[in-house]
Amino acid sequence: MHQMQRNKVAWILFFITPGLLVVGTFILLPLFMSLFNSLFSWRQLIRLEFVGLENFRRLLTTFPYQQRFFNALKNNLVWFLSTTLIQNTLGLLFGYLLSRNIPLSQFFKRIFFIPVLFSIVAVGFLWGMYLNPNGLVNNFLKLVGLGFLQRPWLGMEHLATPSIIMVNIWRWVGFPSLVFLAAIDNVPQECLEAAYLEGVSEWKLFWKIIFPLIIPSITIITVLTIIGSLNVFEQIYTMTGLDGAPNYSTDTIGTLFYRTAFGSVDAGSPEIGIGSAIGMVIYLLTFATSLLSIFITRKREVQL
Amino acid sequence: MKKHTLLSLTVVLLAASMLFGAGVQEQKTAEAEKTVLEFWTWRPEDVDFYNAQIAIFEKANPNIKVVQTAHKNTEYNTILAASLSGGAGPDVFQGRAYGGLATFADSGFLEPLESWMPELKNYAPTALLGATSPTDGKIYGSPAVSQTVFMFYNKDIYKELGLTIPKTWNELIANFEAARKAGYTPLANGAKDGWTLETMFGGMAAQFYGGPEFYNDVIAGKKNFQDPAFIRMIEQMKSLTKYMPNMYMGIGYEDMRALFFNEMSPHLIGGSYEAAFFKAQNPGLNFDIFAVPGMRATDPAYVSVYADMNFAMNANSKNKDAAVKFLKHLSSKEFGKAMVTELKMVTSVPGVDASAEPFIARVLELQKNATPFLFLVGFRYQQPTGSSLWQAAAQGVMAGTLTPAQAAKQIQDGIASYYKPFQK
């Protein structure tokens, strides 16, 4: 018995050690390293003395970090709101329609999901070209007689962030669609049949029966949206660049972090202390808002 | 039984790793006779050039082998910083100038070069300024290249339209108008990439803000960026938007260069580093350069000049003697000459005869009215740099979301947050 127990422990260790090592080295260690680094002052790339929360104070209260940080945070909020409102609503709609077996639903299911499989950098690069003044989008508008709508999509302050968000929605909408489809397909058939027998309208059926039963997947999608919106980086990097051009209108805390911590050709010397502080803020925000949204949606869950 | 399986698996793994280890060891001893130098650049487009130079160097120094790695320009600093702070990195590498050099020098990653290379004394002071750390005044790089910003123009289109090099600002505008009537985009510059607006600034701004005198005055804190002349310059720049490409706010660096080398636009404000690229993209392109004129023909037509590249040595290199040999090769007149003739770059190596290369000779001629590239030379040492402030503010002006006066204030406030002479 004892021997078997030991054997079991050995096997478990054998299987989890590689994973634990990877997580420890590439996730936990950097996390604590950046916490550590954020508490020190830096001269260029050299760590100097312990300064406590001074870097956080500078980030949140002094020019220019304060302006840049809250501007970036505002853009992350825009990302979260638009993604939730547009992408997740569309996803829910698509998921519902696909579950109703509309004509060609198998075909649409695959089509919607294909962009999810594309590399985010490739999507950003290609759409960067499509949104060019002489690119696909403007040429298409001209072709269908909407030439007056032609714009330098990524070059205008009020259009750049919405354009990038639209590209990201195009890329990712298939994911919530599929999750919601699976959730709706899991709603017990008896409930739906009973409701039909009672003569419930399709609208009421959705809101009173289906929606409460798919809240767990809505929770998951919302948490993933929060995490995704706080970590927006590649989309900006490939489409408008590290500086969040034009005039910081597409800057997010991801690009701000990268620029501040590592410096860029034009942005100047790296500020590793402040950069690490931004990294910690990103982590704390992600953690806190994810917990909060789980807490809120949990309360609305219905058990059958 | 199960235990045995686990044990034998571990043994196999161990044996495999030892085999691997042995393989690597063997390779190392074979190469031990040759000193291997790692050499990094941010110029993937010049890989062939450096390979040819490395071949010349290796022939003269048969016991040294140089391995070249070229990184993407915009990622170079990050990759280099990460490897150097990890105690690794290349032995010899292309280094940035001014603030970019200070980052690495002040971190102790660069080897001071005066004692290794006494010949650095012969370099021009402006070139050495870009290779000197402002913190300790030591020289950390062998100056390689200076860049100059001016107007490129298409000679064939000028001939076709009967235009001549403008001597006043109004003549330049007349040339733009003529190009527009003929169906060309008068000026190829766009505004999507903020840094290209700093290039545009370098090519046309000094005429209005007053060249080196203004530079010296702002450095000394006697004038600032809210100076009327500076604001007027921003207005002049904004007035050029009607000659820039349709939807210029979406025109990035690649687009604007393509407009010029595909001969769809006769003008581009750009740096001397573009010449070789244009030749490579369109060998039939017949272009030359001029300095953007001031309001009167007697005003000096300034071009902005900056030290752009140094060759530097890793302070933690294990092969410093070999690295110095390679650095000396990269600082030789032969190498300088090759840079001129093959890369069309303006070498900083003193005493190189550039007359064989008319383009470089013309650049040197325009440099008679040189002014320091204001934000890059003077204000790239601390965050927020003058460059990043200018780039963002200029995008606001070009798009019409900031007035020239607001942009000037944004720049002034940003620099004044750390620049002592502005805080008086």
Side-chain angles (χ1 to χ4, degrees):
Chain A
M1 191 62 204
H2 201 64
Q3 172 77 24
M4 258 177 82
Q5 202 71 32
R6 273 233 306 271
N7 244 333
K8 202 173 161 192
V9 170
W11 273 109
I12 290 173
L13 277 181
F14 178 73
F15 281 116
I16 64 168
T17 310
L20 212 60
L21 277 178
V22 170
V23 170
T25 325
F26 295 106
I27 298 178
L28 295 177
L29 187 68
L31 186 66
F32 287 107
M33 280 304 284
S34 66
L35 174 63
F36 186 69
N37 286 342
S38 70
L39 302 175
F40 285 80
S41 74
W42 289 73
R43 189 190 68 226
Q44 307 283 14
L45 306 172
I46 303 293
R47 187 164 52 222
L48 301 175
E49 74 268 25
F50 181 80
V51 293
L53 295 176
E54 171 66 12
N55 287 321
F56 291 89
R57 189 193 66 78
R58 277 176 71 199
L59 171 67
L60 298 175
T61 61
T62 63
F63 179 88
Y65 301 107
Q66 184 192 26
Q67 278 75 1
R68 293 284 82 79
F69 178 73
F70 286 105
N71 170 60
L73 201 61
K74 185 206 79 194
N75 285 329
N76 283 100
L77 190 70
V78 171
W79 268 86
F80 170 67
L81 290 178
S82 341
T83 310
T84 307
L85 287 179
I86 304 173
Q87 174 188 291
N88 296 352
T89 313
L90 273 180
L92 191 58
L93 181 73
F94 290 163
Y96 178 71
L97 291 177
L98 291 175
S99 75
R100 298 296 92 176
N101 282 325
I102 54 163
L104 292 177
S105 66
Q106 289 303 317
F107 173 72
F108 284 126
K109 205 192 312 187
R110 282 158 181 79
I111 288 288
F112 287 154
F113 200 73
I114 286 177
V116 176
L117 304 173
F118 292 165
S119 144
I120 187 163
V121 175
V123 169
F125 179 74
L126 285 175
W127 274 94
M129 294 204 298
Y130 298 161
L131 290 167
N132 187 289
N134 307 307
L136 203 70
V137 174
N138 277 343
N139 281 327
F140 174 77
L141 287 171
K142 199 168 161 192
L143 194 74
V144 298
L146 294 172
F148 63 94
L149 285 178
Q150 290 186 337
R151 293 285 181 282
W153 299 100
L154 297 174
M156 302 302 288
E157 289 177 32
H158 60 288
L159 287 176
T161 292
S163 305
I164 302 177
I165 293 177
M166 286 308 146
V167 170
N168 199 55
I169 290 177
W170 173 86
R171 181 181 79 94
W172 198 246
V173 72
F175 184 74
S177 305
L178 219 63
V179 171
F180 290 137
L181 169 65
I184 293 172
D185 279 347
N186 265 339
V187 172
Q189 206 57 37
E190 313 87 80
C191 295
L192 300 180
E193 274 165 16
Y196 277 128
L197 288 176
E198 297 285 336
V200 172
S201 70
E202 195 74 23
W203 180 255
K204 238 181 172 168
L205 179 81
F206 180 79
W207 285 113
K208 296 284 176 199
I209 296 174
I210 296 178
F211 190 75
L213 286 173
I214 61 167
I215 292 262
S217 23
I218 291 181
T219 311
I220 288 176
I221 292 293
T222 310
V223 171
L224 287 178
T225 307
I226 290 172
I227 296 173
S229 307
L230 281 168
N231 289 302
V232 174
F233 176 78
E234 298 93 331
Q235 298 90 328
I236 313 290
Y237 182 67
T238 49
M239 291 169 80
T240 54
L242 262 187
D243 295 313
N247 198 7
Y248 304 116
S249 61
T250 58
D251 209 8
T252 62
I253 42 183
T255 47
L256 178 68
F257 158 74
Y258 189 96
R259 235 180 26 239
T260 316
F262 303 118
S264 75
V265 179
D266 309 311
S269 351
E271 289 275 3
I272 294 181
I274 302 225
S276 307
I278 300 177
M280 284 316 295
V281 172
I282 297 180
Y283 170 74
L284 290 176
L285 276 176
T286 316
F287 190 67
T289 45
S290 307
L291 272 189
L292 191 73
S293 70
I294 290 174
F295 181 71
I296 291 174
T297 43
R298 267 284 154 77
K299 278 185 16 191
R300 301 195 49 185
E301 253 173 54
V302 180
Q303 296 281 318
L304 269 184
Chain B
M1 184 62 206
K2 266 182 193 165
K3 209 175 181 186
H4 277 237
T5 333
L6 197 61
L7 206 71
S8 46
L9 203 69
T10 321
V11 168
V12 169
L13 273 174
L14 263 175
S17 69
M18 276 161 100
L19 272 176
F20 252 111
V24 172
Q25 204 101 55
E26 238 163 74
Q27 228 172 0
K28 273 212 179 120
T29 40
E31 273 179 7
E33 303 137 30
K34 272 193 177 191
T35 312
V36 180
L37 286 180
E38 289 281 336
F39 172 57
W40 283 13
T41 81
W42 69 71
R43 299 276 302 177
E45 54 272 63
D46 297 342
V47 165
D48 294 342
F49 169 79
Y50 284 108
N51 275 339
Q53 285 298 322
I54 288 168
I56 296 173
F57 173 75
E58 283 174 347
K59 211 166 181 188
N61 299 276
N63 53 349
I64 303 177
K65 181 176 158 47
V66 181
V67 181
Q68 177 190 196
T69 313
H71 295 281
K72 197 181 164 194
N73 187 350
T74 47
E75 282 151 19
Y76 184 76
N77 286 17
T78 315
I79 300 173
L80 189 63
S83 354
L84 288 177
S85 50
D91 301 284
V92 176
F93 52 94
Q94 283 185 347
R96 309 277 181 191
Y98 308 107
L101 173 110
T103 299
F104 294 111
D106 295 354
S107 301
F109 297 155
L110 302 186
E111 178 77 12
L113 294 180
E114 283 121 316
S115 54
W116 293 99
M117 301 175 68
E119 62 266 41
L120 285 175
K121 279 200 268 331
N122 307 331
Y123 280 67
T126 45
L128 286 176
L129 185 66
T132 308
S133 160
T135 321
D136 60 11
K138 288 185 186 161
I139 300 172
Y140 287 96
S142 162
V145 170
S146 80
Q147 300 292 1
T148 312
V149 186
F150 36 58
M151 180 75 88
F152 284 90
Y153 74 101
N154 185 315
K155 281 168 94 172
D156 288 341
I157 299 180
Y158 260 50
K159 206 168 181 186
E160 173 200 326
L161 303 178
L163 303 177
T164 53
I165 294 180
K167 297 203 173 48
T168 65
W169 179 258
N170 287 338
E171 283 179 35
L172 175 70
I173 299 296
N175 283 1
F176 284 166
E177 290 288 350
R180 178 155 69 181
K181 277 203 196 88
Y184 292 106
T185 300
L187 177 64
N189 291 69
K192 177 169 181 279
D193 297 324
W195 69 270
T196 65
L197 286 177
E198 190 174 357
T199 312
M200 193 168 159
F201 167 89
M204 55 118 347
Q207 284 70 324
F208 296 100
Y209 68 65
E213 293 85 46
F214 181 78
Y215 174 83
N216 291 330
D217 285 348
V218 284
I219 290 291
K222 282 189 231 158
K223 280 187 178 172
N224 66 36
F225 292 105
Q226 287 174 287
D227 191 87
F230 195 81
I231 294 177
R232 196 165 141 259
M233 173 280 294
I234 305 179
E235 281 160 5
Q236 290 289 354
M237 197 164 156
K238 164 91 181 163
S239 76
L240 292 183
T241 53
K242 58 175 181 276
Y243 304 110
M244 283 159 62
N246 182 27
M247 293 186 271
Y248 57 88
M249 284 311 295
I251 296 291
Y253 178 52
E254 300 299 338
D255 305 316
M256 54 196 254
R257 294 205 292 182
L259 277 172
F260 186 76
F261 69 69
N262 288 328
E263 312 202 42
M264 291 151 80
S265 171
H267 299 101
L268 175 77
I269 297 178
S272 36
Y273 46 86
E274 304 289 8
F277 178 78
F278 290 156
K279 275 280 169 226
Q281 293 299 312
N282 180 358
L285 185 70
N286 186 10
F287 66 90
D288 202 355
I289 51 176
F290 62 78
V292 172
M295 294 308 281
R296 287 166 308 217
T298 49
D299 291 345
Y302 290 114
V303 292
S304 293
V305 178
Y306 60 101
D308 182 41
M309 186 203 291
N310 304 301
F311 289 111
M313 197 208 300
N314 185 345
N316 296 318
S317 167
K318 291 184 187 69
N319 306 307
K320 284 189 185 163
D321 290 313
V324 168
K325 276 186 194 153
F326 188 52
L327 269 181
K328 281 183 187 264
H329 174 75
L330 297 174
S331 312
S332 65
K333 281 189 187 170
E334 293 71 37
F335 181 81
K337 180 111 195 217
M339 277 223 139
V340 169
T341 49
E342 288 169 46
L343 297 184
K344 317 275 183 235
M345 286 183 176
V346 186
T347 174
S348 306
V349 179
V352 172
D353 172 28
S355 58
E357 203 48 60
F359 176 78
I360 305 290
R362 177 95 173 111
V363 174
L364 292 172
E365 191 187 323
L366 294 185
Q367 278 190 359
K368 281 176 190 134
N369 280 319
T371 185
F373 196 8
L374 184 53
F375 292 116
L376 191 156
V377 173
F379 299 97
R380 258 199 201 181
Y381 291 92
Q382 268 169 291
Q383 289 195 15
T385 60
S387 294
S388 64
L389 288 163
W390 164 260
Q391 293 171 14
Q395 280 188 323
V397 169
M398 298 309 251
T401 57
L402 287 180
T403 65
Q406 284 169 333
K409 184 173 178 344
Q410 203 168 303
I411 295 163
Q412 177 62 28
D413 288 350
I415 294 178
S417 71
Y418 60 83
Y419 192 61
K420 295 280 179 295
F422 283 172
Q423 292 169 346
K424 278 181 281 188

